[in-house]
Amino acid sequence: MTSKVLILGGTREARELAAIAGGEREFEIVSSLAGRVREPVLPEGQVRIGGFGGTAGLRKWLTDNDIDAVVDATHPFAGTISAHAVAAARSVGVPILHLRRPGWSPEPGDRWIRVPDLTAAARAAAEHGRIFLTIGRQGVAHFAGLSESWFLIRAIDPPAGPVPPRHRLLLSRGPFTVARELELLREHRIDALVTKDSGGDLTVAKLTAARAHDIPVIVVDRPPTPEGADRADTVAAAWEWLRGR
Ligand code: NAP
């Protein structure tokens, strides 16, 4: 019997799981992307792109497509879709796993300023003159009012909304090397870094570089993990969960 699984994606972990499970005959995998990025890195196998239309839309989609299990492998900061996924899956009795990689931890020499959200991050950033903003394209508007500071904004695609008046946009997709991050900090005379606590090793080099340059890092804490889903923090654990279905 084939088990049909929806993987909510947009992360490397989601692509890895789709590649592993998609290679097994007993699984049929459909990966879903929000469609935010102009040229997304596509997972192997079937892919659908675009929102479902809230919890009700996702509930209908799960039923219409005879889905047997959902793995929410979206980014740790994609809180809305994660909440929708739990509500929709539970309402139709489909098991759901929330796969979320662990966050980063400070190391000796780090100067981290932990903040609860992007509003607080912007408040903390206002204390600094030349800021490396690495929170992705969404959320840059929180920093748009900081006219005294200069920003190096790095994102895959240009931000859609307002941006700080003094900035340079660097369109780039990870992974990034420590050598390149050190060069960016030096070249742009950066005196603070702003990041989400995304975790993983694709974008961790900036933290190593900031430590080496003794630069403070404003770290935005993750939103809470949604209640009501099983949990895994590695692709291997998620694969175990799927095989146990
Ligand atoms: P979000 O705020 O949690 O979700 C907003 C809406 O986007 C959802 O209500 C849903 O629309 C749609 N959506 C989100 N993820 C989807 C998916 N995988 N498949 C289909 N629809 C999806 O999400 P977000 O923070 O904008 O993130 C969007 C995507 O980018 C996610 O897939 C996430 O994994 C990826 N991503 C996010 C970040 C980040 O920092 N937030 C970083 C890297 C990658 P409907 O209500 O219409 O269903």
Side-chain angles (χ1 to χ4, degrees):
M1 235 177 66
T2 305
S3 183
K4 196 165 175 190
V5 179
L6 172 66
I7 299 178
L8 297 167
T11 58
R12 181 171 69 174
E13 289 76 12
R15 289 191 294 276
E16 286 179 0
L17 186 61
I20 294 169
E24 301 291 328
R25 211 175 307 144
E26 63 265 42
F27 289 103
E28 181 183 345
I29 304 296
V30 183
S31 295
S32 175
L33 301 178
R36 295 277 187 284
V37 178
R38 273 201 301 236
E39 289 176 26
V41 184
L42 293 176
E44 287 179 25
Q46 292 180 56
V47 181
R48 65 161 301 286
I49 298 182
F52 295 93
T55 304
L58 179 52
R59 187 191 307 124
K60 181 171 183 317
W61 195 93
L62 295 177
T63 310
D64 290 351
N65 289 275
D66 296 320
I67 296 297
D68 299 303
V70 176
V71 178
D72 170 16
T74 55
H75 190 269
F77 281 80
T80 306
I81 186 69
S82 293
H84 290 177
V86 174
R90 285 176 68 95
S91 72
V92 292
V94 170
I96 175 163
L97 177 77
H98 185 63
L99 165 58
R100 177 145 98 158
R101 58 184 177 238
W104 291 313
S105 300
E107 294 188 13
D110 276 334
R111 294 171 57 199
W112 281 19
I113 303 153
R114 281 197 176 274
V115 293
D117 51 33
L118 288 170
T119 305
R123 246 190 330 263
E127 307 290 317
H128 301 277
R130 298 185 64 84
I131 298 157
F132 188 14
L133 189 60
T134 64
I135 55 161
R137 149 181 109 80
Q138 301 185 74
V140 171
H142 285 88
F143 299 81
L146 302 187
S147 52
E148 301 294 312
S149 308
W150 180 89
F151 287 83
L152 177 63
I153 302 172
R154 182 167 67 195
I156 296 176
D157 289 321
V163 291
R166 302 173 58 226
H167 75 270
R168 175 162 168 199
L169 184 59
L170 178 60
L171 296 182
S172 184
R173 190 197 302 260
F176 304 107
T177 64
V178 174
R180 178 70 185 123
E181 301 293 48
L182 284 167
E183 196 182 309
L184 279 179
L185 297 184
R186 214 172 14 242
E187 182 187 342
H188 297 285
R189 293 175 288 115
I190 297 296
D191 62 17
L193 167 70
V194 184
T195 179
K196 293 173 174 173
D197 182 9
S198 298
D201 52 14
L202 285 183
T203 59
V204 72
K206 60 191 170 187
L207 299 178
T208 311
R211 188 182 313 127
H213 273 258
D214 197 26
I215 285 172
V217 184
I218 299 164
V219 181
V220 183
D221 283 337
R222 296 168 162 211
T225 310
E227 296 293 327
D230 291 338
R231 292 180 192 188
D233 60 8
T234 61
V235 173
W239 176 222
E240 274 302 304
W241 181 88
L242 267 185
R243 284 182 9 185
R245 294 282 102 216

